[in-house]
Amino acid sequence: MDVRPTPYAPLRVAIAGLGAIGLKVAQALDAGLPGLVLVAVAGRDADKTAAQAATLRCAPAVLDAAALADAADIVVDCAPSASFPALATSVVDAGRLFMTVNAGALLRHLGLVARAKTTGARIVVPTGALLGLDAVRAAAEGRIERVTMITRKPPAGLEGAPWLVEHGISLAGLTEARCVFEGDAVEGARGFPANVNVAAALGLAGIGPEHTRLQIWADPAVDRNVHTIEVEADSARFSLRIENVPSAENPRTGRITALSVIACLRGLTAPLRVGT
């Protein structure tokens, strides 16, 4: 779809999920992003979502998630990953731009990419709590031999992850760093859906999530979500490290994630874009 703005018609944006990420994005749109206007929101708790929407200067409509694609040009998915299939399908079928922070869920529904080719939709995955995806994408135009990602998080940021529950891993009272997962990004995203969407995004940007190696550590010595990426390619060898401050509302999410979505939205209409 053509997302170029005109002086007369700002792009209409809808947000699914007003949690730690979605509410920050809504507030930024409400404060003003050139060429964009927030028109609708949706959430699991309609009353809570309506109360949050009412705090904005220009309160958007509160709709069911299924109705967002009919109301907007761009639908931003900040909702829990369980809602991804129905929401993503409705937006792609409507030929809209679908921006999602749930890269891990996208891995399980990659048929949507082929579907988007027939409907004219676009699927956009913001960088999120990671860095260096522009370099990884550039390297992927050549040959990448190896991509490894090591994630370290405070134990509280991993509690409740399906992988831990399924394998009976308790992090209570942890006094030293413990590797709780080692495998590929596909399995990691499935086992830690609220924690390592960054690994899924890295895999999609590079040699594929099934070839992207991932380690996850629960580390009581860190107070930030730390991601280290190592890439070996025919064009470059590079290592990247980011230490994200956890969101006060949700320690599983870094504060920078919402800012990444805002920057991605701003880039859709900005007259200057820097980066690949």
Side-chain angles (χ1 to χ4, degrees), residues 21 25 74-78 84 97-104 106 123-134 137 197-202 204-205 256-266 268 273:
I21 301 172
V25 176
I74 302 166
V75 176
V76 183
D77 171 29
C78 302
F84 178 91
L97 190 149
F98 181 60
M99 185 178 295
T100 181
V101 300
N102 285 307
L106 178 59
I123 301 171
V124 176
V125 179
T127 301
L130 209 56
L131 79 169
L133 289 191
D134 53 348
R137 286 173 55 203
N197 279 299
V198 287
L202 176 64
L204 291 169
I256 200 170
T257 303
L259 301 180
S260 174
V261 176
I262 294 166
C264 191
L265 283 168
R266 190 186 297 276
L268 294 177
R273 175 175 174 175

Side-chain angles (χ1 to χ4, degrees), residues 160-170 181 187 190-193:
W163 177 271
L164 301 183
V165 174
E166 291 168 10
H167 291 80
I169 300 173
S170 173
F181 175 83
E187 192 175 19
R190 184 184 302 117
F192 297 84

Side-chain angles (χ1 to χ4, degrees), residues 40-237:
V41 295
R44 285 182 297 181
D45 185 328
D47 291 338
K48 181 179 179 181
T49 302
Q52 291 170 314
T55 66
L56 301 175
R57 178 173 52 88
C58 298
V62 179
L63 306 175
D64 290 335
L68 295 181
D70 291 330
D73 305 300
I74 302 166
V75 176
V76 183
D77 171 29
C78 302
S81 60
S83 66
F84 178 91
L87 176 65
T89 299
S90 68
V91 179
V92 169
D93 282 351
R96 308 303 192 195
L97 190 149
F98 181 60
M99 185 178 295
T100 181
V101 300
N102 285 307
L106 178 59
L107 291 187
R108 299 190 293 275
H109 300 87
L110 285 177
L112 287 166
V113 178
R115 178 64 177 159
K117 292 179 181 179
T118 67
T119 65
R122 291 181 60 202
I123 301 171
V124 176
V125 179
T127 301
L130 209 56
L131 79 169
L133 289 191
D134 53 348
V136 176
R137 286 173 55 203
E141 294 293 334
R143 186 181 74 255
I144 296 180
E145 298 169 4
R146 177 178 58 85
V147 179
T148 302
M149 177 173 168
I150 301 172
T151 289
R152 292 180 178 269
K153 289 197 171 191
L158 294 169
E159 286 288 0
W163 177 271
L164 301 183
V165 174
E166 291 168 10
H167 291 80
I169 300 173
S170 173
L171 303 181
L174 194 67
T175 59
E176 59 183 20
R178 177 179 178 181
C179 182
V180 296
F181 175 83
E182 186 167 6
D184 62 46
V186 175
E187 192 175 19
R190 184 184 302 117
F192 297 84
N195 301 101
V196 290
N197 279 299
V198 287
L202 176 64
L204 291 169
I207 55 175
E210 68 277 10
H211 300 299
T212 301
R213 304 304 299 171
L214 172 65
Q215 287 184 6
I216 302 175
W217 291 74
D219 191 344
V222 302
D223 58 3
R224 299 190 176 196
N225 302 327
V226 183
H227 305 298
T228 303
I229 301 168
E230 297 179 353
V231 177
E232 182 75 37
D234 63 349
S235 59
R237 177 189 300 125

